[in-house]
Amino acid sequence: MRIAYQAQPPTLDPHVTTSQASATIGRNVFETLVTVDSNYRTQPLLAESWEQSEDGKTITFHLRKGVRFHNGKEMTADDVVASMNRWIQISSAGKDHFKGALFEAKDPQTAILHLQNPTSTALPIMAYGGGNYPAIMPKELIDGADPKGVKEYVGTGPFQFKEWQQDQEIHLSKFADYQARSEAADGLAGKREALVDDLRFIFTPDSSTQVAGLLSGEYDVAADVSYDSVQQLENDSDIQVNVAPTGMLNLFFNKKKGLFANVAARQAIGAGIDVESILIAAYTDPKYYQQNHNMMMYYQVGQWASENGKELYNQNNPDKAKQLLKEAGYQGQEIKIVTSRDYEDMYNGAVALQQQMEKLGMKTKLEVYDWPTFTELRNDENKFDILVITNTPKPEPSSLAFMRKDFPGWTDSPELDKLLIEFRSAPNLEKAMSVYGKLQSWFYEYVPVVKVGDGNSISASKKTVQGMKWLDGLVFWNVSNQE
């Protein structure tokens, strides 16, 4: 199956990158101890089961027997311990949620997680299947990894890594000895099966190239279709179009250096922009976006919802914005807006933002990069004032990227630190929900980002492709191509 994919990941090692491209491609190769079903409930994957101690500080994972890596070696607790301890030490999610935690092997089939404190987010974070997911890899590859990642991509998933032609494609092939679970497939949980022999992710940043390739038969799947192309594709009887929530369009401020280190300047952007206009520019039609003041995605509101701060969302009040800019000491200096053309909503949203900021009397410059360059450049506080990014959904609010000190934008808020301790130290996620309203209030007072809205992405495939779903990215196991 040939998949036109919009962005080339920096690596497939998910411990060292938050890239969604890395997750979407790599999770066909790597698996995790636990995962989520279609209702985001935690389910076993490489673990057969788990149990938590009464004090909430120990989780014991009983591993499945007979699971083999792509190199033929059987997975044991030593591999789990090496992988998870590395993930805890170097991944953003691990460092944020598992400080002082440690995995140890009790026997070849049992791995124990020791937590310093009860952690309500432990299992949901380990079950997350998006960027920075906690993949299990062979111990010897973990031992030989350097800061850029592991040297080989060897997992336990239904597909194995074959080849990466830089700037062209990543080729995965069916793993003949894959040990599938027996439960019915549900979300990312249950039975996984490679129903095609090969997956080829072909890097095609230009959406029109994806569409043309799909119509001509060069590609079986176009992972990121331009919103303007939907009607053309829907008119073709051999093509099916799919809509799925892709993430939150956010404006990330450089809070370490420059104008937006001042909270009044950040509040000014929140007060001055018209989110409807930016969302129309980014997604073309209301059926592809939703205005939503909540930090979490619109489809998560049944679980995570608060009215706190709602009056500060989509204010569209230029006079208030100009007053706040004056309070922040803005004197006409150039504001650098940075984004990537590889994601259509990000680029078009950035263009609309620039126009609105100019109307507020601000001098701006828009810089546009390919995704790998963008992900490298955004780590330098000298390179931007505002990043326009679509953040992928997270299973719970304390995992959102803008809450991290080390993520571009560099949120550093003592008040948030206290709230995160209160949230994460709750005995379970249900108890932690009572803190969500406080986090939402902080979100609108501190303004780590300005949320524009929630967007959907469009993918399309030949009708011969059956079974393709979306959950924190497109899912390619249990997908057939009856061409």
Side-chain angles (χ1 to χ4, degrees), residues 307-378:
E307 294 297 293
N308 295 356
K310 186 175 182 179
E311 71 280 4
L312 299 176
Y313 176 72
N314 193 21
Q315 299 172 69
N316 193 14
N317 187 338
D319 291 339
K320 180 180 178 181
K322 291 174 182 175
Q323 180 59 39
L324 285 166
L325 286 172
K326 185 177 179 182
E327 291 176 17
Y330 179 65
Q331 296 181 328
Q333 61 268 41
E334 185 176 81
I335 302 299
K336 188 181 295 183
I337 305 168
V338 175
T339 193
S340 172
R341 190 77 189 240
D342 290 0
Y343 291 90
E344 182 184 9
D345 55 343
M346 289 169 46
Y347 171 72
N348 289 332
V351 172
L353 171 69
Q354 182 185 29
Q355 293 170 348
Q356 293 196 18
M357 290 177 63
E358 295 277 351
K359 288 181 180 177
L360 294 176
M362 304 185 77
K363 184 179 179 182
T364 64
K365 179 182 181 183
L366 176 61
E367 294 187 357
V368 182
Y369 299 92
D370 60 57
W371 185 248
T373 305
F374 175 79
T375 57
E376 183 175 343
L377 178 148
R378 68 184 183 180

Side-chain angles (χ1 to χ4, degrees), residues 21-32:
S22 177
T24 298
I25 299 172
R27 67 186 185 180
N28 297 287
V29 175
F30 302 113
E31 296 183 310
T32 49

Side-chain angles (χ1 to χ4, degrees), residues 71-342:
N71 61 8
K73 172 191 162 184
E74 184 170 349
M75 179 196 71
T76 70
D78 287 340
D79 303 304
V80 171
V81 168
S83 298
M84 294 305 295
N85 283 341
R86 174 180 183 251
W87 178 78
I88 287 171
Q89 291 170 5
I90 69 172
S91 75
S92 298
K95 289 186 287 189
D96 279 356
H97 294 264
F98 294 87
K99 186 176 182 180
L102 190 69
F103 269 82
E104 70 165 354
K106 178 181 178 182
D107 59 49
Q109 300 305 133
T110 309
I112 301 174
L113 170 60
H114 299 282
L115 297 159
Q116 281 198 334
N117 299 293
T119 305
S120 63
T121 54
L123 285 169
I125 297 302
M126 286 193 285
Y128 179 58
N132 234 184
Y133 64 99
I136 303 301
M137 310 179 206
K139 180 179 183 300
E140 56 272 24
L141 292 189
I142 296 294
D143 292 342
D146 64 22
K148 292 184 177 180
V150 292
K151 307 296 185 188
E152 300 176 57
Y153 302 126
V154 177
T156 57
F159 291 92
Q160 58 186 333
F161 177 84
K162 294 294 289 185
E163 185 181 23
W164 187 335
Q165 296 183 47
Q166 282 293 326
D167 301 322
Q168 295 184 50
E169 70 169 44
I170 289 177
H171 176 198
L172 312 181
S173 67
K174 180 177 181 176
F175 177 42
D177 294 329
Y178 179 65
Q179 300 294 310
R181 296 193 67 90
S182 59
E183 304 93 332
D186 180 9
L188 301 182
K191 185 177 182 179
R192 297 180 173 188
E193 190 174 6
L195 298 180
V196 297
D197 291 334
D198 299 279
L199 293 177
R200 293 181 183 273
F201 294 88
I202 301 154
F203 304 124
T204 46
D206 182 9
S207 179
S208 61
T209 303
Q210 290 196 21
V211 171
L214 183 64
L215 291 170
S216 71
E218 181 180 359
Y219 307 131
D220 300 300
V221 176
D224 187 37
V225 169
S226 168
Y227 302 99
D228 294 331
S229 303
V230 171
Q231 187 168 2
Q232 178 188 11
L233 292 170
E234 287 179 336
N235 289 337
D236 190 311
S237 60
D238 294 327
I239 302 294
Q240 54 195 351
V241 174
N242 306 298
V243 180
T246 187
M248 299 153 281
L249 185 63
N250 286 327
L251 314 179
F252 273 70
F253 300 107
N254 181 349
K255 298 181 285 295
K256 188 180 287 186
K257 190 173 184 179
L259 177 68
F260 296 107
N262 188 319
V263 66
R266 307 196 296 270
Q267 292 170 341
I269 301 301
I273 63 167
D274 169 13
V275 305
E276 181 75 25
S277 297
I278 297 176
L279 289 169
I280 280 287
Y283 301 103
T284 72
D285 191 298
K287 65 184 177 182
Y288 301 134
Y289 68 80
Q290 287 201 21
Q291 293 186 38
N292 172 24
H293 71 282
N294 277 287
M295 292 184 294
M296 303 295 277
M297 285 283 288
Y298 66 86
Y299 66 88
Q300 297 173 303
V301 166
Q303 184 179 23
W304 302 104
S306 170
E307 294 297 293
N308 295 356
K310 186 175 182 179
E311 71 280 4
L312 299 176
Y313 176 72
N314 193 21
Q315 299 172 69
N316 193 14
N317 187 338
D319 291 339
K320 180 180 178 181
K322 291 174 182 175
Q323 180 59 39
L324 285 166
L325 286 172
K326 185 177 179 182
E327 291 176 17
Y330 179 65
Q331 296 181 328
Q333 61 268 41
E334 185 176 81
I335 302 299
K336 188 181 295 183
I337 305 168
V338 175
T339 193
S340 172
R341 190 77 189 240
D342 290 0

Side-chain angles (χ1 to χ4, degrees), residues 361-401:
M362 304 185 77
K363 184 179 179 182
T364 64
K365 179 182 181 183
L366 176 61
E367 294 187 357
V368 182
Y369 299 92
D370 60 57
W371 185 248
T373 305
F374 175 79
T375 57
E376 183 175 343
L377 178 148
R378 68 184 183 180
N379 296 310
D380 186 341
E381 70 265 26
N382 297 305
K383 299 295 187 182
F384 72 91
D385 294 296
I386 296 177
L387 299 173
V388 181
I389 304 178
T390 302
N391 287 129
T392 52
K394 298 296 183 184
E396 51 78 31
S398 77
S399 300
L400 292 166

